[in-house]
Amino acid sequence: MPDEQESDVRDTIDSVMTELVREEPGPGMIRRGKAAIKCYLSEFASSIAQAATTEGAAFIRADYIA
């Protein structure tokens, strides 16, 4: 994850956590933060799945060649 995006994720999480501990948390802020975090995690999971598929395919090809 690029440093700038990691900083954005941390800022979003900090904002949501700050809102959650307020006496009367704003549901809109929490909802927007949750959506942003979900987006970041989705991108991260997609990258992991793509890497696993690529590595798995390379392993299978190497096994069949050998």
Side-chain angles (χ1 to χ4, degrees):
M1 176 181 295
D3 289 340
E4 184 177 314
Q5 188 175 14
E6 183 177 343
S7 177
D8 290 346
V9 171
R10 288 179 187 275
D11 290 345
T12 301
I13 291 170
D14 287 343
S15 296
V16 170
M17 294 304 294
T18 299
E19 192 66 30
L20 284 171
V21 298
R22 294 178 92 185
E23 193 168 314
E24 292 186 32
M29 170 57 191
I30 295 169
R31 193 171 20 257
R32 286 188 302 276
K34 184 178 111 178
I37 293 167
K38 182 179 175 182
C39 182
Y40 293 132
L41 291 176
S42 176
E43 291 175 17
F44 186 67
S46 178
S47 296
I48 290 172
Q50 183 179 8
T53 300
T54 301
E55 290 300 316
F59 177 77
I60 290 169
R61 281 194 299 273
D63 194 41
Y64 282 124
I65 293 172

